[in-house]
PDB file of all heavy atoms in Angstrom:
ATOM      1  N   LYS A  46     -23.545 -13.357  43.477  1.00 80.00           N
ATOM      2  CA  LYS A  46     -23.088 -13.388  44.872  1.00 80.00           C
ATOM      3  C   LYS A  46     -24.265 -13.317  45.838  1.00 80.00           C
ATOM      4  O   LYS A  46     -24.297 -14.014  46.856  1.00 80.00           O
ATOM      5  CB  LYS A  46     -22.125 -12.224  45.123  1.00 80.00           C
ATOM      6  CG  LYS A  46     -21.593 -12.169  46.548  1.00 80.00           C
ATOM      7  CD  LYS A  46     -20.688 -10.968  46.748  1.00 80.00           C
ATOM      8  CE  LYS A  46     -20.203 -10.892  48.191  1.00 80.00           C
ATOM      9  NZ  LYS A  46     -19.384  -9.688  48.435  1.00 80.00           N
ATOM     10  N   ASP A  47     -25.269 -12.494  45.508  1.00 80.00           N
ATOM     11  CA  ASP A  47     -26.431 -12.347  46.380  1.00 80.00           C
ATOM     12  C   ASP A  47     -27.193 -13.665  46.497  1.00 80.00           C
ATOM     13  O   ASP A  47     -27.597 -14.081  47.583  1.00 80.00           O
ATOM     14  CB  ASP A  47     -27.339 -11.246  45.819  1.00 80.00           C
ATOM     15  CG  ASP A  47     -28.572 -11.040  46.695  1.00 80.00           C
ATOM     16  OD1 ASP A  47     -28.405 -10.725  47.879  1.00 80.00           O
ATOM     17  OD2 ASP A  47     -29.697 -11.200  46.182  1.00 80.00           O
ATOM     18  N   TRP A  48     -27.370 -14.360  45.359  1.00 76.00           N
ATOM     19  CA  TRP A  48     -28.103 -15.638  45.404  1.00 76.00           C
ATOM     20  C   TRP A  48     -27.312 -16.698  46.162  1.00 76.00           C
ATOM     21  O   TRP A  48     -27.889 -17.503  46.900  1.00 76.00           O
ATOM     22  CB  TRP A  48     -28.405 -16.104  43.976  1.00 76.00           C
ATOM     23  CG  TRP A  48     -29.357 -15.202  43.252  1.00 76.00           C
ATOM     24  CD1 TRP A  48     -29.091 -14.423  42.170  1.00 76.00           C
ATOM     25  CD2 TRP A  48     -30.730 -14.951  43.571  1.00 76.00           C
ATOM     26  NE1 TRP A  48     -30.189 -13.703  41.778  1.00 76.00           N
ATOM     27  CE2 TRP A  48     -31.220 -14.013  42.639  1.00 76.00           C
ATOM     28  CE3 TRP A  48     -31.588 -15.419  44.560  1.00 76.00           C
ATOM     29  CZ2 TRP A  48     -32.521 -13.551  42.658  1.00 76.00           C
ATOM     30  CZ3 TRP A  48     -32.893 -14.955  44.573  1.00 76.00           C
ATOM     31  CH2 TRP A  48     -33.346 -14.035  43.640  1.00 76.00           C
ATOM     32  N   PHE A  49     -25.997 -16.695  45.974  1.00 80.00           N
ATOM     33  CA  PHE A  49     -25.173 -17.669  46.710  1.00 80.00           C
ATOM     34  C   PHE A  49     -25.205 -17.408  48.211  1.00 80.00           C
ATOM     35  O   PHE A  49     -25.130 -18.332  49.017  1.00 80.00           O
ATOM     36  CB  PHE A  49     -23.723 -17.656  46.201  1.00 80.00           C
ATOM     37  CG  PHE A  49     -23.488 -18.591  45.049  1.00 80.00           C
ATOM     38  CD1 PHE A  49     -22.982 -18.123  43.853  1.00 80.00           C
ATOM     39  CD2 PHE A  49     -23.771 -19.937  45.164  1.00 80.00           C
ATOM     40  CE1 PHE A  49     -22.779 -18.971  42.785  1.00 80.00           C
ATOM     41  CE2 PHE A  49     -23.564 -20.801  44.094  1.00 80.00           C
ATOM     42  CZ  PHE A  49     -23.075 -20.322  42.907  1.00 80.00           C
ATOM     43  N   GLU A  50     -25.287 -16.129  48.594  1.00 83.00           N
ATOM     44  CA  GLU A  50     -25.373 -15.824  50.023  1.00 83.00           C
ATOM     45  C   GLU A  50     -26.659 -16.379  50.622  1.00 83.00           C
ATOM     46  O   GLU A  50     -26.686 -16.865  51.755  1.00 83.00           O
ATOM     47  CB  GLU A  50     -25.289 -14.310  50.236  1.00 83.00           C
ATOM     48  CG  GLU A  50     -23.883 -13.747  50.032  1.00 83.00           C
ATOM     49  CD  GLU A  50     -23.845 -12.231  50.159  1.00 83.00           C
ATOM     50  OE1 GLU A  50     -24.940 -11.619  50.250  1.00 83.00           O
ATOM     51  OE2 GLU A  50     -22.734 -11.665  50.158  1.00 83.00           O
ATOM     52  N   LYS A  51     -27.747 -16.327  49.844  1.00 81.00           N
ATOM     53  CA  LYS A  51     -29.002 -16.912  50.320  1.00 81.00           C
ATOM     54  C   LYS A  51     -28.870 -18.419  50.477  1.00 81.00           C
ATOM     55  O   LYS A  51     -29.349 -19.003  51.447  1.00 81.00           O
ATOM     56  CB  LYS A  51     -30.129 -16.567  49.345  1.00 81.00           C
ATOM     57  CG  LYS A  51     -30.463 -15.067  49.297  1.00 81.00           C
ATOM     58  CD  LYS A  51     -31.581 -14.781  48.300  1.00 81.00           C
ATOM     59  CE  LYS A  51     -31.895 -13.276  48.255  1.00 81.00           C
ATOM     60  NZ  LYS A  51     -32.954 -12.953  47.274  1.00 81.00           N
ATOM     61  N   LEU A  52     -28.206 -19.053  49.491  1.00 81.00           N
ATOM     62  CA  LEU A  52     -27.986 -20.503  49.597  1.00 81.00           C
ATOM     63  C   LEU A  52     -27.117 -20.847  50.795  1.00 81.00           C
ATOM     64  O   LEU A  52     -27.345 -21.840  51.495  1.00 81.00           O
ATOM     65  CB  LEU A  52     -27.325 -21.025  48.315  1.00 81.00           C
ATOM     66  CG  LEU A  52     -28.231 -21.224  47.104  1.00 81.00           C
ATOM     67  CD1 LEU A  52     -27.409 -21.671  45.909  1.00 81.00           C
ATOM     68  CD2 LEU A  52     -29.309 -22.262  47.392  1.00 81.00           C
TER      69      LEU A  52
END
Side-chain angles (χ1 to χ4, degrees):
K46 180 182 178 183
D47 180 59
W48 294 113
F49 272 123
E50 286 176 352
K51 294 179 180 179
L52 282 177

